[in-house]
Amino acid sequence: MTIAPAADSALASAFLPSPNHGERRGFVRPDCIILHYTGMATSKGALDLLRDPKSEVSSHYFVDGDGTILQLVPESRRAWHAGVGVWKNERDLNSASIGIEIVNPGHDGALPPFPEAQIAAAIALCRDISSRLGIRPERILAHSDIAPARKRDPGERFPWEALFRAGVGHWIPPVEITGPPLFREKEEAPPIRALQAMLALYGYSVEMTGVYDAPTRTVVAAFQRHFRPARVDGEADASTIQTLRALLDGLGRS
Ligand SMILES: [Zn+2]
């Protein structure tokens, strides 16, 4: 019989160990939190998968629909939730992060709203982890932020505003949507390079092509999913660009 380690967070009601973890590489302590939805039909199915040695996936924490928090991997260890992704030029995001899986069937399950109790628990957990590990608000990320071409979670219905109002994450009220997209597909123009530079400055992985190409569109959609969720279409409109600029300005002041 193996004895489960003690939970790192006092908020975890149990430690149900997953075998899927390794040593953090190059990080004494993680400096970001990555939020996910489980994207599976049932909570049990997701939990089983995250603890199945054959799946080779895991997360540090699991937040059930009723707000129950389980820990699966010690915070000191590298859990396997991020996959291939980039943020601020960091590529080993599993080593850099704490991963939190939030139970929700996701886009394939029609993206139902996250229950209030679940969001309250996720907020409390993020606050706890951030304060213990010194993680900055702008380092609380969506899986879709670090892997825009592969991932959409936790999705545009995830209430980032509620988190922010409770002191978790970086957010500003999105600028109102007005006017048409500013760039055509494949258009090449200096303002497109400027937009790419702003996205990269915030942390997204985007090439400075100066062209409104498919990868740029994908990153813009990821940005919208997190920061301007009323319309997630990958179009660079004034609202998207002004919201991004205001977020960057806010960082400059802090
Ligand atoms: Zn994910």
Side-chain angles (χ1 to χ4, degrees), residues 183-193 208-213:
F183 310 124
R184 295 182 314 276
E185 196 158 348
K186 304 274 172 60
E187 182 175 341
E188 185 168 4
I192 297 169
R193 185 180 290 271
M208 307 288 149
T209 58
V211 176
Y212 209 68
D213 48 20

Side-chain angles (χ1 to χ4, degrees), residues 35-37 81 101 143 151 153:
L35 301 182
H36 304 259
Y37 64 48
H81 56 95
E101 285 282 358
H143 197 189
K151 295 292 175 180
D153 62 315

Side-chain angles (χ1 to χ4, degrees), residues 89-113:
N89 298 319
E90 174 57 54
R91 290 178 178 274
D92 184 359
L93 286 156
N94 279 333
S95 283
S97 67
I98 294 287
I100 302 177
E101 285 282 358
I102 299 166
V103 172
N104 185 288
H107 289 86
D108 293 343
L111 212 58

Side-chain angles (χ1 to χ4, degrees), residues 56-157:
E56 299 190 337
V57 295
S58 62
S59 60
H60 295 92
Y61 293 97
F62 181 88
V63 181
D64 217 331
D66 65 359
T68 301
I69 298 171
L70 303 173
Q71 189 168 358
L72 315 182
V73 172
E75 290 179 3
S76 61
R77 302 286 290 173
R78 181 179 181 274
W80 303 341
H81 56 95
V84 176
V86 188
W87 189 257
K88 291 238 167 198
N89 298 319
E90 174 57 54
R91 290 178 178 274
D92 184 359
L93 286 156
N94 279 333
S95 283
S97 67
I98 294 287
I100 302 177
E101 285 282 358
I102 299 166
V103 172
N104 185 288
H107 289 86
D108 293 343
L111 212 58
F114 294 82
E116 229 170 274
Q118 184 183 41
I119 292 305
I123 287 170
L125 181 60
C126 287
R127 287 175 68 123
D128 171 52
I129 296 166
S130 306
S131 64
R132 283 187 293 102
L133 302 181
I135 293 172
R136 294 185 53 81
E138 69 272 18
R139 304 280 300 171
I140 298 179
L141 304 170
H143 197 189
S144 51
D145 290 323
I146 66 141
R150 294 191 306 117
K151 295 292 175 180
R152 290 182 289 175
D153 62 315
E156 57 272 24
R157 295 195 75 175

